[in-house]
Amino acid sequence: MSKKLHLVSLGCTKNLVDSEIMLGRLKHYALTDDHTQADVIIVNTCGFIDAAKEESIHTVLSLHDARKKDSILVMSGCLAERYKEELQAQMPEVDIFTGVGDYEQIDALIATRQSTFSPEVYLASETAERVITGSHYHAYIKIAEGCNQSCAFCAIPSFKGKLHSRTLRSIQKEVEHLVAQGFCDFSFISQDSSSYGRDRGVKDGLVQLIKTIEAIKGVRSARILYLYPSTTTFELIDAIADSKVFETYYDMPIQHIDDGMLKTMKRGLGAKKTIELLEYMKSKPGAFIRTSVIAGHPGETVERFEKLRGFMEAFGFDRFNTFAYSNEETTAAYTLKQVSDAIKAERAAILGEIAERTTRASLQKMVGKKVQLVIDKESDEHPLLLSARPMKWAVDIDGEILINDTANLPIAYGKVYEAKITELVGDQLLATLVSATGK
């Protein structure tokens, strides 16, 4: 009888890719949702901010409390890497600790019950066996690891290191391999995607990547996540907008829009240039713009916050996330005078309300329009509704459209349809299918 594996992947989609690598190495295990029956339990942790760290610790301890005798509990990923000495000393519940460098060695670590932390961060490879989760048509492609930026609030470079880009050929081979398996929709990800290739002396790496992926037969759609303002060029914005494969989708976290704050945050680009990039994106037909901002970073005065609030209200982002500042050791902002927790929470709530309004405004603009979308599953809202995603939207983070009229078309999950958006009910779009357009 096959041994059973229970894996929990926390944090970002970059973590998810690493988790899928581990699943590929452990294909001889039967996956189970019941951790009490698992022979091996893996928690791939996130160590980015306090909330993520707390979730990771809580998840590990909760799984330990109910696991069966003689099972193996593995703590891997960013949190394990960032606090390896402390966690190994303070968490005897964990059998194996491993960080961000040994995902392809997970089978050997389990076989020997050995903890290890490689000095190098694991870089995705076209040769790695991967078990894609959550979809049979969409996959994330990690194009680089690490980051060369020095944002005052971010600890990632301290445990992920400097930018390390994959070769274009490696990415091309992985996409070709996945296309051969039936995947047709891809999201390209890294900590700082617009810097892709710069560590290899290539300044237009993403433009080259776009051209390479466009030439692969079988790729229907793609999008790039996590651009960085100072490394995003007008040429890149054009290349995305002009592509027949890549969606006109711009995900560029700006974090703030006040010059003083951007300088304190060590963002490398001022408000004027940042706004020029955003406006240029906005000028592209059908552009979808997503960003994120931080509330309550050290140095954020009332006046600076009001500038951010006014900009987020006025610009008209399609989506934006707000994070209350988390004070992280090893960062430049750690020793700065802190904004109180109460003020951080208040400001985050204000920006959150603006985000809700701007999202509804973006959704309202879609009413009456036709879109290409893919049907993912039966809706959790009601068994007579279908959950669908416009091809332009990113998986999981941009929401869903509910199909309440199939026009008697045969339904296949993962298939692309043309649909007409009929109404917005609250913050939920409803649509009617028009025709099937194929895979």
Side-chain angles (χ1 to χ4, degrees), residues 19-200:
S19 295
E20 291 174 345
I21 295 293
M22 289 193 284
L23 289 178
R25 299 297 298 183
L26 299 170
K27 287 196 296 185
H28 53 290
Y29 282 81
L31 295 179
T32 179
D33 290 330
D34 184 359
H35 69 276
T36 66
Q37 299 301 310
D39 299 286
V40 174
I41 300 169
I42 300 174
V43 182
N44 197 17
T45 60
C46 177
F48 183 41
I49 59 176
D50 282 342
K53 290 184 282 188
E54 291 170 6
E55 181 186 22
S56 293
I57 296 293
H58 175 75
T59 300
V60 170
L61 294 179
S62 295
L63 292 173
H64 165 73
D65 287 342
R67 66 173 169 142
K68 71 178 187 178
K69 185 180 179 181
D70 297 327
S71 63
I72 297 174
L73 178 58
V74 182
M75 187 175 188
S76 68
C78 295
L79 184 68
E81 181 73 37
R82 187 177 178 187
Y83 299 102
K84 48 182 172 282
E85 290 87 5
E86 297 96 321
L87 292 173
Q88 288 181 94
Q90 298 172 13
M91 294 188 69
E93 298 88 351
V94 177
D95 300 301
I96 298 172
F97 291 91
T98 184
V100 297
D102 295 287
Y103 298 113
E104 279 203 78
Q105 310 304 319
I106 189 64
D107 50 342
L109 300 183
I110 290 171
T112 59
R113 289 201 177 211
Q114 177 185 354
S115 294
T116 187
F117 292 88
S118 292
E120 298 292 332
V121 176
Y122 175 76
L123 187 64
S125 165
E126 75 279 8
T127 61
E129 290 189 71
R130 220 178 122 192
V131 175
I132 308 297
T133 58
S135 177
H136 62 274
Y137 71 89
H138 171 270
Y140 292 100
I141 306 294
K142 191 187 289 193
I143 62 175
E145 270 294 0
C147 184
N148 284 348
Q149 310 301 337
S150 56
C151 300
F153 52 83
C154 184
I156 288 176
S158 70
F159 58 89
K160 281 290 187 89
K162 293 292 186 180
L163 178 69
H164 187 189
S165 302
R166 293 174 62 180
T167 65
L168 191 55
R169 181 61 177 153
S170 172
I171 296 169
Q172 178 184 356
K173 285 182 177 179
E174 182 179 11
V175 174
E176 288 173 343
H177 178 65
L178 290 172
V179 167
Q181 297 178 47
F183 291 89
C184 62
D185 182 39
F186 300 93
S187 296
F188 293 86
I189 57 174
S190 70
Q191 275 81 26
D192 172 14
S193 293
S194 47
S195 289
Y196 168 72
R198 293 193 172 208
D199 56 314
R200 295 177 173 272

Side-chain angles (χ1 to χ4, degrees), residues 412-429:
Y413 296 151
K415 187 175 180 179
V416 178
Y417 294 81
E418 183 176 60
K420 183 175 182 179
I421 310 297
T422 56
E423 61 180 318
L424 177 65
V425 180
D427 59 357
Q428 184 63 68
L429 287 173

